[in-house]
């Protein structure tokens, strides 16, 4: 059974930092390009960033609003994806989803999301 | 970046009737390999998104055949042949041709009339 479980969300003050984790099981994690997608309260889906597999170079790409503030990393030995968020702003308040988001005939898995609230 | 524009944004439908959602991209989604990487997602109330369709018209495993996708170039459509109560939610198109970034449409909220 596939499981994707995010953790680490919570309340943080503007300018603060938070690290999200995503524990994956039931599929070959080290073969999957992994993304973070967020959804502000009552709003639509926004892609945050993606990390490729080590085989494909392990490189990362980020959406413009988070570039330079957020960092995605992975630990294939633990089947875990991370999102380090620094210099958080109120606009970063959202549910953050971990996903194998892709556009090809590969399975598409999503976690249940973790809520990050940035507020003073 | 590509802009994805969905219409309508709200879609009231009678149970058993068909529904159609349009998605238009600001530029062609044909990739250099000749394929079009256009996905459709469903997000039921209180749930995570779920992919329904990839590469314009291919249904994911477990997706009922009342869902179908079509389109080419810059114009795409998701159709539900007969709406059921479990189809209530928000539907998003997403292009994966011109990544990064992956770009979603604004979402279309389907409700039962």
């Amino acid at each position: 059974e596939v499981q994707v479980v995010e953790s680490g969300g919570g309340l943080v003050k503007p300018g603060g930092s938070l690290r999200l984790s995503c524990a994956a099981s039931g599929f070959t994690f080290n073969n999957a390009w992994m993304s973070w997608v967020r959804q502000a309260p009552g709003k639509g889906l926004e892609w945050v960033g993606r990390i490729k597999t080590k085989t494909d170079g392990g490189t990362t790409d980020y959406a413009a609003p988070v570039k330079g503030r957020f960092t995605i990393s992975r630990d294939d030995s633990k089947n875990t994806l991370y999102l380090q968020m620094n210099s958080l702003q109120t606009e970063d308040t959202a549910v953050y989803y971990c996903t194998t988001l892709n556009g090809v005939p590969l399975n598409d898995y999503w976690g249940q999301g973790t809520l990050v609230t940035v507020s003073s | 970046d590509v802009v994805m524009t969905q219409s309508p944004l709200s879609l009231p439908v009678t149970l058993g009737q068909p529904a159609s959602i349009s998605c238009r991209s600001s530029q062609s989604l044909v990739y250099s390999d000749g394929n079009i990487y256009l996905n459709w997602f469903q997000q039921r109330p209180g749930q995570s998104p779920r992919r329904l369709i990839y590469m314009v018209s291919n249904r994911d495993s477990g997706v009922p055949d009342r869902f179908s996708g079509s389109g080419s170039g810059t114009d795409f459509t998701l159709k539900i042949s007969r709406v059921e109560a479990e189809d209530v939610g928000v539907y998003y198109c997403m292009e994966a041709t011109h990544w990064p970034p992956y770009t979603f449409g604004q979402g279309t909220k389907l409700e039962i009339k």
Side-chain angles (χ1 to χ4, degrees):
Chain A
E1 181 196 1
V2 170
Q3 287 201 320
V4 178
V5 180
E6 302 94 338
S7 60
L11 175 63
V12 61
K13 289 183 167 52
S17 298
L18 207 58
R19 187 175 87 151
L20 306 184
S21 299
C22 167
S25 61
F27 65 97
T28 308
F29 181 79
N30 62 357
N31 282 350
W33 292 16
M34 297 297 298
S35 283
W36 288 96
V37 171
R38 68 184 181 183
Q39 186 169 36
K43 301 297 184 182
L45 301 173
E46 180 185 24
W47 177 78
V48 171
R50 181 204 60 211
I51 186 167
K52 295 182 180 179
T53 62
K54 292 283 194 298
T55 303
D56 290 328
T59 55
T60 52
D61 292 287
Y62 300 94
V66 308
K67 197 168 186 178
R69 300 187 299 121
F70 289 12
T71 302
I72 298 174
S73 60
R74 64 191 300 158
D75 185 339
D76 290 344
S77 69
K78 296 180 179 178
N79 284 359
T80 301
L81 179 73
Y82 301 100
L83 178 63
Q84 177 66 45
M85 303 184 293
N86 298 330
S87 303
L88 281 161
Q89 306 164 356
T90 55
E91 310 87 84
D92 297 318
T93 293
V95 173
Y96 286 74
Y97 294 101
C98 168
T99 169
T100 57
L101 187 70
N102 67 82
V104 296
L106 294 173
N107 286 322
D108 187 69
Y109 304 124
W110 292 68
Q112 83 291 346
T114 186
L115 176 62
V116 172
T117 303
V118 185
S119 174
S120 54
Chain B
D1 295 349
V2 177
V3 176
M4 305 297 288
T5 303
Q6 290 183 227
S7 62
L9 299 184
S10 178
L11 183 57
V13 183
T14 300
L15 284 173
Q17 292 301 301
S20 180
I21 300 170
S22 170
C23 175
R24 290 185 173 166
S25 58
S26 59
Q27 56 185 280
S28 173
L29 297 188
V30 179
Y31 191 56
S32 54
D33 62 5
N35 291 316
I36 296 176
Y37 297 97
L38 185 283
N39 291 346
W40 287 98
F41 292 86
Q42 174 194 61
Q43 187 175 30
R44 291 171 171 154
Q47 294 188 13
S48 302
R50 162 200 183 196
R51 194 178 70 181
L52 299 175
I53 302 281
Y54 63 90
M55 294 175 69
V56 181
S57 59
N58 297 276
R59 273 190 304 275
D60 274 280
S61 175
V63 175
D65 61 8
R66 65 178 180 275
F67 290 92
S68 64
S70 63
S72 62
T74 60
D75 290 340
F76 304 93
T77 303
L78 175 70
K79 291 184 178 176
I80 309 173
S81 59
R82 293 173 305 279
V83 169
E84 298 188 5
E86 66 178 19
D87 300 335
V88 166
V90 182
Y91 292 80
Y92 298 91
C93 60
M94 187 206 87
E95 71 92 9
T97 293
H98 299 285
W99 54 268
Y102 292 125
T103 306
F104 291 92
Q106 319 98 299
T108 294
K109 186 174 185 179
L110 185 148
E111 61 180 24
I112 303 301
K113 205 185 289 184

